[in-house]
Amino acid sequence: MKIGIAFPNTIPGAPGRLQSDWAVRAEQRGFSTVAATQRLRYPGHEPLSVLAAAAAVTSRIGLATNILVAPLTTAAVLAKEAATVSSLSGGRLLLGLGPGVRSDDFDAAEREFGPRGAVFDSQLAELARLREQHDPKCLPAPVPPLLVGGLSAAAVRRSVRWAAGWTAPGLAPERVAPTAAKVRAAWSAAGREGRPRLIALSRFWLGEDVAQEASGFVREYFGVLGDEADAFVATTPRTPEQVSEQVKALADAGFDEVIFHPTAARLSQVDRLADILIA
């Protein structure tokens, strides 16, 4: 099981310099990947920009969007931006994409929320084509591989048809394991070679000194869910035992990698997670 860590790029008030320092420390401590996620109508840093900055200060660690909401832009713009980051990093970018679930982000981007599924399908088809039939006159190389996020039947179909695999949302292992099994089965049924890449997401915080900050962020970020936001706080791993149990459960479900998303914008979180999970 590979262990990755996400930037605190959506945590309000996290400074820009922290994002670069985070990437350097994550590489030093041996994480497999450092990932950025996206919200538009919410404080924080834009993910591909953060990853471009990370590419400049690292040389080995994988870079990923986990995830980026593709229908907020066009396939052509997204392809150019992603291929640029991939080129800057020497081909270390993995492009995790989803159709989006928050209508306020679409309002801010002046994009239609209703037809986002159909838009996403056409975008994935175009991005896959650009990767398979790369034209250096249009895009720098290499064009990054794709992962698709979501729990729907459409997410399974998209992962198998256009992507290198599937990335799970940040839910309990027992809630994402069935979809992982469906992706593997559909992959085999479609005659795809090898195995799909399966990545899981888990929030975390470590240390009583960040507990108030972290729980407050989780409660605010998922505030749109009302009382359910408290459940996300309660189920966020926060002890070495809970973090280790999360990794074991996801490994047992067949995931290749788990990316831990911080809920406190403190560089200490990188070291504390590494101390538990990375030899």
Side-chain angles (χ1 to χ4, degrees):
M1 168 71 85
K2 294 180 179 180
I3 306 296
I5 191 169
F7 291 97
N9 71 295
T10 58
I11 297 180
R17 179 56 186 266
L18 177 62
Q19 315 301 326
S20 296
D21 291 345
W22 199 277
V24 171
R25 186 67 61 84
E27 182 170 81
Q28 291 172 341
R29 292 305 308 265
F31 286 95
S32 57
T33 303
V34 63
T37 193
Q38 183 179 39
R39 280 296 311 279
L40 187 55
R41 184 163 282 178
Y42 194 81
H45 295 79
E46 192 279 319
L48 286 171
S49 300
V50 169
L51 291 166
V57 296
T58 61
S59 60
R60 302 181 307 277
I61 194 168
L63 309 175
T65 57
N66 190 38
I67 58 172
L68 189 143
V69 181
L72 294 180
T73 185
T74 66
V77 171
L78 178 55
K80 176 72 78 172
E81 293 174 341
T84 297
V85 175
S86 182
S87 179
L88 291 171
S89 67
R92 288 183 282 143
L93 180 65
L94 180 63
L95 194 60
L97 302 174
V101 296
R102 298 177 186 259
S103 61
D104 57 345
D105 283 344
F106 284 77
D107 292 340
E110 298 182 354
R111 304 279 289 180
E112 290 188 68
F113 183 69
R116 67 193 184 283
V119 170
F120 189 39
D121 281 341
S122 66
Q123 289 177 319
L124 288 170
E126 177 63 6
L127 291 167
R129 184 190 70 79
L130 290 170
R131 176 170 169 77
E132 294 168 4
Q133 304 170 15
H134 177 251
D135 183 351
K137 296 179 181 178
C138 297
L139 293 173
V143 179
L146 307 176
L147 289 184
V148 171
L151 285 175
S152 66
V156 175
R157 171 181 57 81
R158 291 164 178 152
S159 298
V160 172
R161 184 172 182 182
W162 291 302
W166 176 66
T167 179
L171 300 173
E174 61 268 21
R175 293 189 60 185
V176 297
T179 304
K182 290 176 183 177
V183 172
R184 288 194 298 270
W187 190 275
S188 178
R192 293 284 305 266
E193 294 183 0
R195 298 173 62 252
R197 185 169 179 177
L198 299 177
I199 294 179
L201 182 160
S202 176
R203 286 172 301 281
F204 82 101
W205 80 71
L206 291 164
E208 286 302 314
D209 56 326
V210 302
Q212 184 174 354
E213 173 187 343
S215 61
F217 166 70
V218 175
R219 193 170 285 110
E220 178 185 359
Y221 192 80
F222 293 102
V224 67
L225 301 176
D227 292 341
E228 291 183 43
D230 289 333
F232 280 90
V233 174
T235 57
T236 298
R238 69 199 66 175
T239 68
E241 294 77 17
Q242 290 171 343
V243 166
S244 297
E245 288 169 2
Q246 187 86 332
V247 170
K248 183 181 185 305
L250 291 167
D252 289 345
F255 285 92
D256 306 297
E257 183 174 16
V258 54
I259 296 178
F260 281 91
H261 281 240
T263 55
R266 309 281 188 92
L267 200 57
S268 63
Q269 297 298 285
V270 180
D271 289 318
R272 291 173 185 176
L273 187 65
D275 288 344
I276 297 168
L277 297 177
I278 299 177

